[in-house]
């Protein structure tokens, strides 16, 4: 395999990540599950995924999943210390892949980034913020929950700028643009430099789920 996606951990977080990826059109045979439980991997294989049984902190296990040739690596382990070790090992084997990891405690996020993760999702604090928002503003909380649930209601979409949008202000597009990706920079919609839009830009927008093209959902 080359350019495939490796998922470390096939629990609730790993399954949710996979559901989002397959909703974008990613084929199950382009996903490799790595988990220490033989029964879990057997279940994943039965669902159409590739599977490797073993401890993902070990390089020989990750090599079986061909991490060295993967395009994306998602670390969804149960323990933060395990996530850090997996990130370190994966980054040593693959300098180019995008690594996204989840941690329970926010204090461990910087260590995970130092270990090679490109993006870190703090599950405990994210859930806490959503609960707090739902108390302060139930409507705002409902909107956030809607955005999190893939494929229904509202979705966040990353897509390229189309020719008809080049030269326009971000507020003049048909979609609700929240950020502009220009090179390696992410520019907020309210930043004066976000406009005018350029042909090489990508935009992150909020759209109705039924209007989102399968290949563009994020």
């Amino acid at each position: 395999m080359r350019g495939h996606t490796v998922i470390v951990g096939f629990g609730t977080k790993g399954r949710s990540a996979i559901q989002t990826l397959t909703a974008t059109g990613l084929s199950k045979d382009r996903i490799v599950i790595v988990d220490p439980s033989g029964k879990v991997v057997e279940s994943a294989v039965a669902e159409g995924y590739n599977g490797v049984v073993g401890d993902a902190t070990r390089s020989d296990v990750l090599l079986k999943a061909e991490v060295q040739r993967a395009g994306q690596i998602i670390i969804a382990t149960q323990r933060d210390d395990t996530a850090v070790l997996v990130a370190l090992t994966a980054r040593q084997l693959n300098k180019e892949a995008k690594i996204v990891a989840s941690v329970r405690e926010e204090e461990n996020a910087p260590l995970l980034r130092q270990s090679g993760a490109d993006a870190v999702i703090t599950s405990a604090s994210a859930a806490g913020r959503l609960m707090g928002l739902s108390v302060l503003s139930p409507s705002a909380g409902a909107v956030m929950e809607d955005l999190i649930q893939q494929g229904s209601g509202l979705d966040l979409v990353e897509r390229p700028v189309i020719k008809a949008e080049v030269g326009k202000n971000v507020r003049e597009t048909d979609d609700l643009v929240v950020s502009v990706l220009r090179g390696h920079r992410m520019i907020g919609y309210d930043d004066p430099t976000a406009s005018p839009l350029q042909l090489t830009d990508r935009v992150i927008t909020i759209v109705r789920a039924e209007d989102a093209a399968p290949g563009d959902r994020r």
Side-chain angles (χ1 to χ4, degrees):
M1 279 193 181
R2 182 175 296 277
H4 58 292
T5 299
V6 175
I7 311 287
V8 179
F10 198 52
T12 302
K13 291 181 292 186
R15 283 181 175 274
S16 296
I18 288 172
Q19 287 174 1
T20 300
L21 291 172
T22 54
T24 68
L26 181 64
S27 174
K28 289 184 177 182
D29 62 7
R30 300 294 299 165
I31 298 175
V32 181
I33 309 297
V34 181
D35 197 280
S37 169
K39 289 184 177 180
V40 168
V41 172
E42 184 178 340
S43 173
V45 171
E47 292 179 36
Y49 304 104
N50 300 289
V52 173
V53 180
D55 179 358
T57 64
R58 295 173 55 89
S59 59
D60 60 325
V61 172
L62 291 181
L63 286 171
K64 289 179 181 178
E66 299 190 26
V67 158
Q68 69 276 22
R69 288 189 286 271
Q72 300 81 223
I73 303 166
I74 295 177
I75 303 172
T77 57
Q78 297 299 317
R79 294 169 55 98
D80 288 2
D81 55 350
T82 302
V84 170
L85 291 173
V86 173
L88 277 169
T89 308
R91 184 53 80 200
Q92 287 176 351
L93 294 172
N94 190 326
K95 304 297 184 184
E96 304 298 329
K98 183 173 184 178
I99 299 179
V100 178
S102 171
V103 291
R104 291 179 178 272
E105 303 299 332
E106 195 160 1
E107 63 187 21
N108 294 323
L111 180 58
L112 199 48
R113 291 190 182 91
Q114 292 171 15
S115 300
D118 298 293
V120 180
I121 310 301
T122 309
S123 55
S125 63
R129 283 194 290 270
L130 182 56
M131 287 189 291
L133 179 61
S134 297
V135 169
L136 294 172
S137 174
S139 297
V143 171
M144 286 302 300
E145 188 174 2
D146 188 10
L147 286 169
I148 292 171
Q149 293 178 351
Q150 179 72 32
S152 64
L154 300 173
D155 267 355
L156 276 174
V157 171
E158 178 187 326
R159 64 168 178 80
V161 168
I162 61 176
K163 289 184 178 180
E165 296 170 332
V166 174
K168 288 187 175 181
N169 187 288
V170 292
R171 298 181 184 276
E172 296 177 320
T173 63
D174 291 336
D175 297 335
L176 178 59
V177 175
V178 294
S179 291
V180 177
L181 302 176
R182 183 167 295 149
H184 296 291
R185 289 182 62 207
M186 181 177 291
I187 309 171
Y189 73 94
D190 56 343
D191 189 318
T193 64
S195 299
L197 291 171
Q198 302 175 14
L199 185 60
T200 54
D201 288 344
R202 295 184 66 84
V203 289
I204 297 175
T205 69
I206 296 176
V207 299
R208 283 286 171 190
E210 59 268 23
D211 297 330
D216 284 336
R217 283 202 192 110
R218 293 293 184 272

